[in-house]
């Protein structure tokens, strides 16, 4: 039987049929002269990091001064970063954020999850969850994001320690 006027299994000018596929010659690999595809920057350079990796580094940098002062009190606290908060209700009138949520204009920026039991029944440690996308959306630039991250972490650590945010940021020492 013929297909398109040619015997089955035959390829014509780069078109292949179901029975036979052609191997492309190595000379077609760079046919438009753009060079071989690969990483633009070496993996060891800061330019190769993703936005999420850069954000994670900023979170750790914002946490460092707090951890230096309150390290022993924060030994049982974990820190996590999520893209966005989980939302079950989509209507702004129906959404009610639980205790420990730091929100700006109805959008959570971070949440303090107390220690307890996870859904599998295993004990879990207390943790602060930082939501990356809402924080990035509210910052004008990298310096503004760093300041916002520091403020959010101060608020969450203060809630965890049950003290005033001013005490966490520089007032009283433990």
């Amino acid at each position: 039987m013929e297909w398109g006027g040619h015997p089955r299994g035959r390829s014509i000018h780069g078109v292949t049929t179901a029975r036979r596929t052609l191997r492309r010659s190595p000379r077609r690999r760079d046919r438009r002269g753009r060079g071989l595809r690969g990483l633009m920057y070496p993996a060891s350079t800061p330019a190769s990091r993703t936005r999420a990796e850069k954000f994670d580094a900023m979170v750790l940098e914002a946490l460092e001064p707090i951890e230096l002062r309150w390290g022993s009190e924060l030994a049982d606290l974990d820190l996590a970063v999520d893209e966005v908060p989980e939302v079950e209700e989509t209507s702004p009138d129906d959404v009610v954020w639980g205790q420990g949520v730091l929100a700006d204009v109805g959008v959570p920026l971070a949440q303090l999850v107390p220690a307890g039991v996870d859904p599998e029944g295993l004990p879990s440690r207390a943790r602060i969850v930082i939501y990356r996308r809402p924080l990035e959306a509210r910052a004008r630039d990298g310096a503004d994001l760093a300041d916002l991250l520091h403020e959010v972490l101060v608020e969450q650590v203060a809630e965890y320690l049950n003290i005033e945010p001013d005490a966490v940021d520089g007032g009283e020492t433990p």
Side-chain angles (χ1 to χ4, degrees):
M1 173 177 233
E2 291 186 307
W3 178 72
H6 301 283
R8 181 181 282 186
R10 187 172 168 195
S11 64
I12 298 130
H13 302 292
V15 177
T16 59
T17 63
R19 288 191 172 227
R20 183 172 177 225
T21 60
L22 288 180
R23 286 189 179 182
R24 294 197 168 193
S25 64
R27 64 184 166 85
R28 301 185 115 201
R29 191 169 184 185
D30 186 24
R31 68 178 182 221
R32 292 187 177 90
R34 291 187 219 139
L36 298 177
R37 295 183 182 220
L39 297 174
M40 258 177 119
Y41 302 102
S44 60
T45 61
S48 68
R49 296 189 309 183
T50 64
R51 284 177 52 194
E53 291 171 336
K54 291 175 187 175
F55 185 84
D56 292 347
M58 288 181 82
V59 169
L60 292 175
E61 188 176 314
L63 182 66
E64 188 175 349
I66 299 168
E67 199 171 36
L68 287 173
R69 290 189 52 148
W70 300 92
S72 59
E73 287 83 359
L74 302 178
D76 293 330
L77 180 68
D78 291 334
L79 183 64
V81 174
D82 276 351
E83 289 285 311
V84 293
E86 290 184 26
V87 178
E88 293 178 13
E89 296 289 334
T90 57
S91 170
D93 299 330
D94 295 337
V95 176
V96 177
W97 302 112
Q99 189 176 12
V101 173
L102 178 64
D104 177 38
V105 193
V107 177
L109 304 177
Q111 180 178 7
L112 175 63
V113 180
V117 179
D118 67 4
E120 287 87 33
L122 301 171
S124 66
R125 294 168 35 122
R127 71 183 174 278
I128 295 173
V129 181
I130 304 288
Y131 299 116
R132 179 174 74 88
R133 299 291 294 254
L135 285 165
E136 286 178 337
R138 280 158 179 73
R140 289 184 294 270
D141 56 16
D144 192 31
L145 181 58
D147 291 341
L148 184 58
L149 275 171
H150 180 73
E151 289 176 26
V152 166
L153 285 170
V154 165
E155 290 282 334
Q156 293 297 315
V157 168
E159 186 170 339
Y160 173 72
L161 297 174
N162 201 21
I163 59 176
E164 290 296 317
D166 292 337
V168 172
D169 202 20
E172 308 160 13
T173 55

